[in-house]
Amino acid sequence: AGFEHAVPPGLGGHWTHLGLVPSGQATQLMRQGDLLLTFMPPGEKEPSGTVTLKAYFYLRTGKPILYVGESGSTGDLLSQFPGTYRLARDEWPRVGDWLQSHEAELRLVDRPGVERYNLGQIAARMSELIFRVVNRPAGQAGTCQERE
């Protein structure tokens, strides 16, 4: 019973799960979406040290991103960019309600995609983020925006 096949309540007609698609097609499809949803799979420790590859692809699109999962590196990375939001994994059943209550706000998001940054800027930003995460005090959680 993975998240990837569970349609959040209230999203029946607004949800598209495509399964595995070639990377070129996935990039095109991401750019067509109104909002991109990513989640940290069950089994990750909290805070998670994993940054999903999908997070980088999502950031390139300039679309709003909703991250569902544990606090940690993916959430920390996404929090560095406007137009990203976080819900804890146990809030999965209310994703539909959250999206409906934030619909107007999400339509106004004008987040630059990372393709607008040059490679040197991205590398410098990632280096700074990694340094901050590695050197933050033990037990300090990430700072991904939480919206209610």
Side-chain angles (χ1 to χ4, degrees):
F3 288 115
E4 66 274 9
H5 300 293
V7 177
L11 290 184
H14 307 284
W15 180 268
T16 304
H17 178 260
L18 301 171
L20 296 174
V21 296
S23 62
Q25 183 183 1
T27 300
Q28 292 173 348
L29 292 167
M30 283 183 237
R31 291 187 177 168
Q32 293 173 13
D34 295 322
L35 170 113
L36 302 174
L37 174 67
T38 188
F39 53 86
M40 187 58 67
E44 282 292 326
K45 63 183 178 170
E46 187 168 351
S48 172
T50 303
V51 175
T52 63
L53 186 57
K54 184 186 296 184
Y56 296 106
F57 288 107
Y58 278 21
L59 285 169
R60 289 190 69 212
T61 67
K63 301 287 183 171
I65 300 168
L66 175 59
Y67 168 78
V68 180
E70 273 47 33
S71 62
S73 297
T74 297
D76 291 348
L77 170 66
L78 294 175
S79 72
Q80 302 302 306
F81 297 89
T84 62
Y85 307 88
R86 177 186 178 272
L87 293 174
R89 188 182 319 145
D90 63 358
E91 295 182 272
W92 178 255
R94 66 174 223 133
V95 166
D97 293 335
W98 187 93
L99 291 171
Q100 288 175 352
S101 68
H102 290 79
E103 183 176 1
E105 176 185 349
L106 292 169
R107 290 187 191 283
L108 298 175
V109 169
D110 184 25
R111 188 181 66 69
V114 295
E115 75 273 359
R116 296 185 191 168
Y117 297 96
N118 69 43
L119 187 56
Q121 289 173 318
I122 294 171
R125 193 168 194 172
M126 289 301 302
S127 178
E128 176 188 340
L129 176 62
I130 290 167
F131 179 81
R132 287 187 0 214
V133 169
V134 167
N135 293 302
R136 75 175 167 216
Q140 183 179 346
T143 59
C144 204
Q145 296 177 27
E146 293 185 354
R147 305 282 176 125
E148 301 215 28

